[in-house]
Amino acid sequence: MPRSRSHLKLTSPCSPKAVHKVISRFSPEKKQLVRSIGFGGLLELPLHRKVGHRFSLWLLTKVARDATRAQSAAAGKVAGIPFYPHDVSIVFGVPSGGRPVPKKDQVQGLVSDEAKATVRGALGLDEGDDSRLRILHAAKHVLKKRFRRGMAEKDRAAFKVAFVVFVVENLLAPREVDSISLDYFMALRRPDEIQTYDWSEYVIRVILDSACQVQAAFAQGRPVENLFGCILFLQQIFYLDNLDFGREKNLLHDHTPRCKAYDYDTIKKLAKADRTRYRDGGLRSFGRKSAREASDVCYERSITRCGNHVNGVVVGSADGGEQDGHSDDIVFTDGRVFNQKILCEVCGDVGMEDLVMFCACGATVHQYCSDPVVLDATLVEWSCDECQAKQGNAAADKLSAEALNRKRPSHYLTEITVATNSVSKKACVQKGDQEEHFA
């Protein structure tokens, strides 16, 4: 491996700082639209002042495609740690397990006019405006636009398209610094179907392409100038989140998305702890720490697929036949049957069906999407927020009414304040002509 300093002069179109700056200013209506297309986890993305390019370059040289899976499957290993598409969903909270986003070689020169027209119309661009700078500027303008009287249906559709374009090109799967990829435009033709595509697999696919390009450049002695793909996922979250820094320093895998736990300072501290004293081919080297036990992490490598369980009950066919991979139905011991193709209430996609928990009302959530994360579903009886709120409000209303009746004179006009499970009600207390409001 050459020892050229030119390898260290790096650029990357991956800019989580740009994404955070825009998302952090979203109104509640815009945040709800983000959640509706399955990208709600990105709302938790902390500020990253910069991305460590040298660390990313070292990791890209350590990426290998997973030989145990089909050649077309988007899965690999980084420094010996396997990663899969669903791991992207765990890190960023984006859709996983749906229809594949069209591959670049399948749509080269074949991106439909309908797809291009949809994107241009959403961004307010004219035909021929395909430069990356122009498209990102237009997408940012749509995302920052304010609506005093709420968003119309056309505005909501444009916002969804603009959001995906902006986060793909700035974070999830950027390919070039000065050009934009058109392949994923095919997945934006119908904004209401954005969440049905496997965006997590698309992220992994671009990362593998980036690693292949970097490794080919080193093998041929060519300088590496551009690091494309989601290097934030590869280096700053997934890799570090899977390392063993000791019991006191390891971050608990008790919530998702995992990106929420990794701000710039945390990443910098952990990366420094993983740095070695020597250089690898002239590059700063890492890899000092070993990987955590699979049972200690929340990623797909920790799942043993020798048996599928949901709420402690083996998943099998509805007629009690032998289990063969994933079945369409989940059969509970009390006779209830649920179809596995139910979307999670949090991430909005099917994901890992064998880790679905059900509420009595029929609501569903993945164990890894629950807050806090549920490692063993046999130990809990999960209820959705709405059911918890109904149960909690009934008890809280009674308790609050009794407390107010004891402490307030009869001439007070009261409205009970209740705040349970993120459900809050405003209260008003009036004494004579003086009125006080509190939440």
Side-chain angles (χ1 to χ4, degrees):
M1 190 176 291
R3 296 177 177 272
S4 173
R5 287 282 183 178
S6 61
H7 288 283
L8 303 182
K9 298 177 181 179
L10 303 169
T11 60
S12 174
C14 186
S15 178
K17 180 180 178 180
V19 174
H20 176 271
K21 185 177 181 181
V22 172
I23 289 180
S24 62
R25 299 177 181 178
F26 279 174
S27 66
E29 184 179 12
K30 291 180 178 180
K31 290 181 179 179
Q32 183 56 39
L33 285 176
V34 173
R35 297 188 184 99
S36 71
I37 58 175
F39 286 75
L42 291 178
L43 298 174
E44 306 290 343
L45 183 71
L47 175 63
H48 293 268
R49 296 192 292 274
K50 59 182 180 180
V51 179
H53 291 161
R54 297 180 185 182
F55 188 18
S56 299
L57 178 60
W58 179 84
L59 282 169
L60 287 171
T61 66
K62 304 300 180 183
V63 169
R65 186 178 293 274
D66 190 349
T68 64
R69 295 201 171 191
Q71 184 65 25
S72 59
K77 295 182 179 181
V78 54
I81 303 174
F83 58 87
Y84 307 94
H86 189 66
D87 293 330
V88 177
S89 180
I90 294 174
V91 169
F92 290 126
V94 297
S96 172
R99 294 179 289 174
V101 176
K103 293 185 178 180
K104 188 175 183 180
D105 56 357
Q106 292 177 338
V107 298
Q108 187 68 29
L110 299 176
V111 178
S112 69
D113 293 337
E114 178 189 5
K116 293 180 180 179
T118 298
V119 175
R120 291 195 182 105
L123 304 183
L125 296 174
D126 298 325
E127 186 173 355
D129 285 340
D130 292 334
S131 69
R132 184 173 189 271
L133 182 62
R134 182 76 180 95
I135 290 177
L136 289 183
H137 178 77
K140 185 177 180 180
H141 175 74
V142 172
L143 297 179
K144 295 176 68 176
K145 187 177 180 180
R146 295 183 179 182
F147 300 89
R148 295 182 178 180
R149 299 182 179 180
M151 303 172 70
E153 186 62 32
K154 181 179 179 181
D155 297 324
R156 288 192 288 268
F159 179 88
K160 293 176 182 179
V161 173
F163 180 82
V164 174
V165 171
F166 191 77
V167 298
V168 166
E169 293 298 332
N170 277 306
L171 175 64
L172 296 179
R175 285 189 177 272
E176 301 292 341
V177 176
D178 55 357
S179 63
I180 197 167
S181 176
L182 300 178
D183 50 2
Y184 67 93
F185 278 19
M186 296 291 287
L188 302 178
R189 290 174 296 173
R190 296 172 178 82
D192 289 338
E193 297 180 6
I194 288 175
Q195 68 275 15
T196 66
Y197 286 90
D198 193 347
W199 294 96
S200 295
E201 188 269 346
Y202 181 66
V203 172
I204 296 296
R205 191 196 310 164
V206 176
I207 288 176
L208 294 175
D209 289 346
S210 179
C212 182
Q213 178 175 297
V214 167
Q215 293 171 20
F218 272 103
Q220 299 170 12
R222 294 185 287 106
V224 177
E225 299 178 352
N226 178 48
L227 302 180
F228 64 88
C230 188
I231 56 179
L232 180 66
F233 164 78
L234 187 66
Q235 70 151 68
Q236 304 207 355
I237 301 176
F238 177 81
Y239 174 72
L240 294 175
D241 208 24
N242 277 276
L243 295 186
D244 188 356
F245 293 95
R247 176 176 295 183
E248 296 183 356
K249 294 183 179 181
N250 283 342
L251 298 183
L252 294 177
H253 286 211
D254 59 353
H255 67 274
T256 56
R258 297 300 299 154
C259 65
K260 184 178 180 180
Y262 283 84
D263 57 16
Y264 174 79
D265 293 329
T266 300
I267 290 172
K268 183 177 180 180
K269 179 179 66 175
L270 295 180
K272 184 177 180 180
D274 187 54
R275 189 188 308 165
T276 62
R277 296 182 178 180
Y278 62 91
R279 290 182 174 269
D280 185 0
L283 297 176
R284 177 175 291 172
S285 181
F286 300 82
R288 181 179 179 182
K289 301 296 181 179
S290 58
R292 295 170 71 167
E293 293 292 335
S295 59
D296 195 31
V297 299
C298 64
Y299 295 100
E300 188 166 342
R301 72 182 181 96
S302 68
I303 307 300
T304 303
R305 293 192 175 274
C306 59
N308 300 321
H309 295 74
V310 177
N311 284 354
V313 181
V314 177
V315 177
S317 61
D319 59 1
E322 293 183 359
Q323 181 180 333
D324 181 16
H326 293 285
S327 66
D328 289 334
D329 295 323
I330 300 173
V331 183
F332 288 80
T333 53
D334 61 2
R336 291 178 297 153
V337 178
F338 288 90
N339 189 276
Q340 277 191 287
K341 304 306 180 184
I342 297 178
L343 299 182
C344 171
E345 301 286 337
V346 177
C347 67
D349 67 85
V350 177
M352 303 181 70
E353 302 99 322
D354 50 340
L355 295 180
V356 175
M357 298 187 296
F358 290 88
C359 178
C361 69
T364 59
V365 70
H366 293 118
Q367 291 176 212
Y368 49 82
C369 289
S370 176
D371 189 10
V373 169
V374 176
L375 299 179
D376 188 351
T378 63
L379 303 179
V380 300
E381 184 176 347
W382 181 75
S383 296
C384 66
D385 289 345
E386 185 175 351
C387 288
Q388 290 184 35
K390 290 178 180 178
Q391 297 168 2
N393 284 348
D397 283 345
K398 182 178 180 181
L399 179 61
S400 299
E402 293 176 352
L404 286 171
N405 290 334
R406 288 196 304 268
K407 297 180 180 181
R408 300 295 188 187
S410 58
H411 60 274
Y412 273 80
L413 299 178
T414 64
E415 292 182 15
I416 301 171
T417 301
V418 180
T420 59
N421 296 298
S422 301
V423 178
S424 61
K425 301 178 181 179
K426 290 185 177 180
C428 170
V429 176
Q430 182 175 343
K431 182 179 180 181
D433 296 330
Q434 184 176 3
E435 196 175 75
E436 301 177 6
H437 292 269
F438 53 93

